[in-house]
Amino acid sequence: MKRRREKMPKAAASGSKTTRDEILVHIFKHVFRPANAWESAKVCKRWHVLQAINLLQKRSNGSFRCMGLRKGDRSGRKSHCDGKTKTLKLKRVESEWRLSMHLLQSCKRHIHNLEIKNCTHVSQRGYQLISAFASNLKSIRLEACNSLDDPSFDSILDKCPTLRSIHLTAVNVTLVNIVAKAPKLQELHVHGCRKVTAKTLLTILHGLSNLRSLSLTAMGDVQQDLDVTKFESGPPLKLQHLHLENSHAITDHLLQVLGPRLVNLRKLDLTLCTSITDDGLQAVLSSCGRSLTQIVMSRCRRITDESIFTLAETAYKLHDVSLAGCGISDDGLKVFMGAKFIPNLRNLCLACCSKVTDVGLLHFASQADQLAGFKTLDLQSCSGISAFGLKGLPDKLHGKSYKVLSEKKNVTISG
């Protein structure tokens, strides 16, 4: 007679799964030698992943130098590793076993940059693999990692003291401990994370003194009670690039708090920040106008000519400006074309600006002698501009052609 196998309750099985994995890794660490490690890894895929965690941890501790796969081992799909840039790129990682194969194949190489895309099937055990491999990483990029949570992300930060750049897309982290665990971080880009709030933004800017580039898109809702006392008193930030696209949490009050410390800012992107008005933007421009080279205010419908006047007074080095969908009129464009940065201007976007008419194009044409390096003028979906007004634009600027983007008929596009 066959014996019936007693089934373990689901709650007990899921609760002890992590404990059993830790026990096995501990046994592999003290019993098996590197020469015999692969014999135990052939038992099953789970043992292979746990043995990979053990070997990668020994590699990070300096126990032995090389644990790459042998020639006779089946490595599955080859990993895409660029030897020149020392970057490992993995796409569509189907399982943790595949991930362990890729990482172990790259042990012989000194990988500094790790990029993993579409790793939806990677669980906490897979992130243990990444944290064990991430001892010498300087840059990490994780895209479509739905299972990445705060404990897994913190474990990666703990094992990687040399990390300088982080790119996260479509993740569920709050970035609560990033200031304490990655104090030397220089670039942080988080896209599509609704758990990141305005409080997180202030904590990151105040705690990461070496940060040069920050991108937090699609942030959460507006916070009513926001404590800004710690951030108001502090030295100027070293931040040069700030991207806050599609974030409803960005308000005038928040920009007024950030403005006095953003003196070194060069690029500012506030696309689809529908909550800001002229008061908040003027607070930022008054402090960083001298260093600003690129500004994007697309679809900020509450921005009017008042902000354009402040931009024309404070900015000196601007070369790329996007005002698509803003409330700029012909008067604002006239003041804009008389600013000191006009000789450096290369690209100007006025798409969907319904208040700009043919009169505004005359102001642009009057400054043709100053536009030496101009390249592109975007006038798409400008209802106030006619084909007759477009024909009044100069064909060339300083003997060089430029592009005029418009859907109007019978218009010659130069370039």
Side-chain angles (χ1 to χ4, degrees):
M1 297 179 63
K2 295 183 179 179
R3 295 183 179 179
R4 293 184 179 181
R5 188 176 180 179
E6 296 182 0
K7 295 183 179 181
M8 185 180 296
K10 294 183 178 180
S14 60
S16 60
K17 186 176 181 179
T18 305
T19 306
R20 295 200 304 266
D21 292 345
E22 293 177 354
I23 293 174
L24 280 175
V25 172
H26 185 75
I27 293 174
F28 291 155
K29 181 179 179 181
H30 290 85
V31 175
F32 294 103
R33 297 180 179 179
N36 301 327
W38 295 112
E39 297 300 326
S40 63
K42 294 178 181 178
V43 174
C44 61
K45 292 183 178 180
R46 175 168 169 262
W47 277 41
H48 186 283
V49 173
L50 297 177
Q51 189 62 263
I53 295 175
N54 172 41
L55 295 178
L56 289 174
Q57 288 177 352
K58 287 186 177 181
R59 171 180 174 267
S60 62
N61 297 332
S63 299
F64 47 93
R65 296 181 180 178
C66 176
M67 306 88 56
L69 291 175
R70 297 178 180 179
K71 294 182 180 180
D73 292 333
R74 297 180 179 180
S75 56
R77 189 180 301 174
K78 293 183 179 180
S79 59
H80 304 281
C81 181
D82 190 352
K84 295 181 180 180
T85 58
K86 299 181 180 180
T87 302
L88 176 62
K89 298 181 180 180
L90 304 177
K91 295 182 179 180
R92 297 180 181 178
V93 180
E94 300 173 356
S95 63
E96 299 164 353
W97 175 69
R98 290 288 185 185
L99 179 62
S100 64
M101 283 289 190
H102 293 315
L103 296 181
L104 288 172
Q105 278 182 335
S106 305
C107 286
K108 296 181 180 180
R109 307 178 179 93
H110 297 283
I111 303 298
H112 291 165
N113 306 319
L114 177 62
E115 298 182 7
I116 301 179
K117 298 180 180 180
N118 297 330
C119 48
T120 55
H121 300 286
V122 177
S123 64
Q124 187 176 2
R125 190 187 301 162
Y127 294 116
Q128 290 179 2
L129 277 169
I130 298 175
S131 61
F133 180 79
S135 58
N136 297 322
L137 287 182
K138 295 182 179 179
S139 174
I140 185 170
R141 180 189 294 269
L142 302 176
E143 297 185 7
C145 302
N146 300 328
S147 58
L148 182 64
D149 53 2
D150 287 328
S152 302
F153 184 63
D154 292 341
S155 65
I156 296 176
L157 296 179
D158 289 333
K159 300 294 183 180
C160 190
T162 60
L163 202 60
R164 297 293 181 269
S165 177
I166 297 177
H167 295 256
L168 303 175
T169 303
V171 296
N172 296 318
V173 296
T174 58
L175 303 178
V176 176
N177 300 321
I178 193 171
V179 175
K181 296 182 180 295
K184 298 182 180 180
L185 198 65
Q186 296 180 0
E187 295 183 5
L188 177 60
H189 303 274
V190 182
H191 304 283
C193 183
R194 290 291 180 180
K195 292 185 178 181
V196 178
T197 60
K199 182 179 179 180
T200 309
L201 173 63
L202 293 179
T203 304
I204 291 173
L205 290 177
H206 183 70
L208 300 178
S209 59
N210 296 321
L211 199 64
R212 298 293 192 277
S213 178
L214 177 61
S215 178
L216 299 176
T217 63
M219 294 172 58
D221 297 332
V222 181
Q223 287 183 309
Q224 300 296 335
D225 300 330
L226 188 62
D227 187 12
V228 297
T229 55
K230 295 182 179 180
F231 188 84
E232 289 178 344
S233 59
L237 300 176
K238 298 180 182 179
L239 192 68
Q240 297 180 357
H241 301 166
L242 180 60
H243 302 268
L244 302 172
E245 302 98 308
N246 194 19
S247 298
H248 301 288
I250 306 301
T251 60
D252 289 341
H253 176 61
L254 185 60
L255 291 181
Q256 290 171 356
V257 174
L258 296 175
R261 298 184 61 180
L262 298 176
V263 296
N264 297 315
L265 198 63
R266 295 183 181 180
K267 295 183 180 180
L268 177 62
D269 193 344
L270 297 175
T271 302
L272 274 174
C273 293
T274 55
S275 301
I276 63 173
T277 62
D278 294 328
D279 296 335
L281 187 59
Q282 287 175 353
V284 177
L285 294 177
S286 60
S287 59
C288 68
R290 294 183 178 272
S291 61
L292 203 62
T293 60
Q294 180 180 356
I295 185 170
V296 181
M297 296 180 292
S298 301
R299 300 184 183 182
C300 296
R301 302 188 181 279
R302 304 175 69 180
I303 300 299
T304 63
D305 291 339
E306 297 296 329
S307 298
I308 305 303
F309 298 156
T310 306
L311 185 66
E313 293 176 359
T314 57
Y316 293 90
K317 302 178 181 179
L318 271 179
H319 53 74
D320 290 338
V321 180
S322 177
L323 304 173
C326 295
I328 182 176
S329 64
D330 294 334
D331 296 335
L333 187 57
K334 180 180 179 180
V335 177
F336 179 86
M337 296 306 300
K340 297 180 181 180
F341 58 80
I342 288 301
N344 301 322
L345 192 63
R346 294 183 301 186
N347 301 307
L348 177 60
C349 180
L350 298 174
C352 301
C353 293
S354 57
K355 296 183 180 180
V356 177
T357 63
D358 295 341
V359 179
L361 294 185
L362 294 177
H363 299 317
F364 178 85
S366 63
Q367 299 294 330
D369 298 337
Q370 302 291 331
L371 300 172
F374 194 76
K375 296 181 179 180
T376 306
L377 176 62
D378 192 350
L379 299 174
Q380 299 183 77
S381 301
C382 292
S383 58
I385 295 177
S386 62
F388 179 78
L390 290 172
K391 291 181 179 180
L393 294 175
D395 295 335
K396 294 185 178 182
L397 299 174
H398 284 263
K400 298 180 180 180
S401 60
Y402 67 102
K403 293 182 180 179
V404 179
L405 304 179
S406 177
E407 71 281 357
K408 302 295 182 180
K409 296 181 179 180
N410 301 324
V411 177
T412 302
I413 304 298
S414 302

